[in-house]
Amino acid sequence: MAKIDVHHHILPDFYEKLLAQANIPVGTSIPHWSPQVSLDLMDKLHISTAVLSLSAPGAMIAGDADQVRSLARRWNEHAAEIRSKHPDKFAFFAALPGLTDPEGALAEIKHAFEVLQADGITLFTSYGGKYLGAQEFEPIWAELDQHHAVVHVHPIHSREAPFTTPFLPQPLIDYPHESARTASDLVLSGRKGQVPNCAIILSHAGGTLPIVSERLSSLSNTIFAGLLTENSPRGDQILKHLKSFYFDLAISGSANVLDTLLKWVPHDRILYGSDFPFAGGVERSSDKALEGYEMDDQLRRMIYRENALRLFPRMRSPYQ
């Protein structure tokens, strides 16, 4: 059964060099990438279309504000070129300079949608130590909502997380927590409710969000109710907003993850994702586990492509 992959990174040579120079801990080595490498993986995993995105740490790796803006624009134009060469195979989430540069971010959103015809936007879980519900980011969210944007949220290294042991780099444990933190911040700040036209996708099945959601909701309504603002949801609305995200299954095809997610979130909110090429081959074992997980054909079609097609209707023609 053909899949649409909403979590598929690309590493153009200019970005790969920056990663190497910065010594970013992405694993034992930086994976080599080319469009053909993606196409080969897609053929093996029966992926018909992949939505390309920039990996962490994103354009902010470039240095000063002008360099960051330049890198985001260069990556977006590169991704748009790949899509134009393979329009049935690729879509892309545009990169932004960083939300701490609101002028640059707003300009890039406009260019991405109005010039490059991007399929959505990549945001990271935090910028400058602030999660995505921060008041400073309201103008960016307002612009995204105006464009009815599909927003893919990817975890990034937290400046606040302490270094504990060389065996636990942040992608192993902290990334799932970062996804839960920024999603919770979006909901409890009221920002999620202010952008009804945005479809927000959380990476890796939402990280730890499905597990902590009941705790978050019940305690926010009781002993921590005093922390809520006039914009915050209350009562059952907290859980309702938490379940209104979309959730990709990148490196999350195991039975224990699927058991939890399928019991908690509406099934039309679950999307296929691979996390290629950073998964180091785990995308194949995760895909195998997902293929072996017992579900009916209708649910599998929803997860593999139908849910994504509602977000990206231009992709529908290959399935008609």
Side-chain angles (χ1 to χ4, degrees):
M1 189 178 293
K3 309 180 183 84
I4 295 174
D5 182 0
V6 303
H7 193 140
H8 194 109
H9 300 301
I10 64 171
L11 285 82
D13 56 358
F14 56 86
Y15 186 64
E16 184 179 339
K17 289 177 183 177
L18 288 172
L19 283 176
Q21 293 167 4
N23 194 30
I24 299 296
V26 297
T28 55
S29 63
I30 298 171
H32 171 70
W33 177 87
S34 71
Q36 190 57 52
V37 170
S38 280
L39 289 168
D40 290 344
L41 183 279
M42 291 164 65
D43 184 61
K44 291 177 182 176
L45 298 187
H46 306 291
I47 296 168
S48 59
T49 307
V51 188
L52 309 177
S53 59
L54 180 63
S55 66
M60 292 79 75
I61 196 176
D64 64 35
D66 288 339
Q67 291 173 317
V68 170
R69 291 183 183 188
S70 177
L71 177 58
R73 179 64 56 86
R74 185 179 183 186
W75 189 95
N76 289 339
E77 292 180 343
H78 185 78
E81 182 180 355
I82 293 172
R83 186 191 60 186
S84 68
K85 290 180 179 178
H86 307 275
D88 292 335
K89 288 292 185 181
F90 295 119
F92 78 97
F93 292 121
L96 298 185
L99 303 197
T100 52
D101 174 15
E103 181 180 344
L106 290 169
E108 198 59 35
I109 291 170
K110 183 179 180 68
H111 182 77
F113 284 123
E114 298 180 11
V115 178
L116 300 180
Q117 302 298 305
D119 299 279
I121 296 289
T122 292
L123 293 183
F124 295 106
T125 45
S126 64
Y127 295 88
K130 295 182 182 296
Y131 291 111
L132 293 179
Q135 181 60 37
E136 295 92 322
F137 305 151
E138 189 277 335
I140 287 100
W141 280 111
E143 184 72 13
L144 292 171
D145 192 61
Q146 182 177 332
H147 284 280
H148 291 239
V150 179
V151 179
H152 188 256
V153 178
H154 194 282
I156 196 171
H157 282 54
S158 169
R159 299 190 311 177
E160 312 304 324
F163 178 81
T164 54
T165 165
F167 304 111
L168 292 176
Q170 288 198 32
L172 282 182
I173 299 295
D174 293 284
Y175 273 20
H177 297 322
E178 289 299 288
S179 292
R181 289 184 182 113
T182 207
S184 302
D185 189 58
L186 280 167
V187 169
L188 294 179
S189 68
R191 188 74 59 228
K192 180 73 166 59
Q194 295 170 349
V195 291
N197 297 316
C198 286
I200 305 174
I201 305 171
L202 302 178
S203 299
H204 313 123
T208 53
L209 185 64
I211 298 171
V212 302
S213 61
E214 296 288 345
R215 173 187 177 92
L216 179 74
S217 177
S218 61
L219 294 183
S220 294
N221 276 309
T222 53
I223 63 174
F224 294 116
L227 301 178
L228 301 179
T229 72
E230 62 180 13
N231 295 321
S232 302
R234 286 169 169 78
D236 294 341
Q237 291 299 306
I238 293 177
L239 272 179
K240 180 180 178 180
H241 280 294
L242 291 173
K243 294 180 181 184
S244 71
F245 290 101
Y246 289 82
F247 301 81
D248 81 40
L249 293 182
I251 322 182
S252 303
S254 63
N256 61 321
V257 174
L258 290 169
D259 285 348
T260 299
L261 194 63
L262 287 167
K263 289 178 181 178
W264 183 70
V265 73
H267 294 174
D268 62 356
R269 297 280 162 164
I270 305 174
L271 308 165
Y272 177 82
S274 71
D275 212 351
F276 185 77
F278 283 105
V282 176
E283 71 278 350
R284 292 174 175 82
S285 59
S286 180
D287 188 85
K288 183 177 180 180
L290 178 59
E291 292 279 0
Y293 187 85
E294 186 175 348
M295 66 177 80
D296 61 44
D297 287 345
Q298 180 181 359
L299 177 56
R300 195 172 296 277
R301 280 194 300 271
M302 290 173 64
I303 293 172
Y304 281 9
R305 64 173 185 260
E306 293 297 331
N307 293 341
L309 287 173
R310 284 193 289 272
L311 299 181
F312 309 104
R314 78 166 187 84
M315 299 179 189
R316 185 167 290 280
S317 57
Y319 304 101
Q320 289 178 339

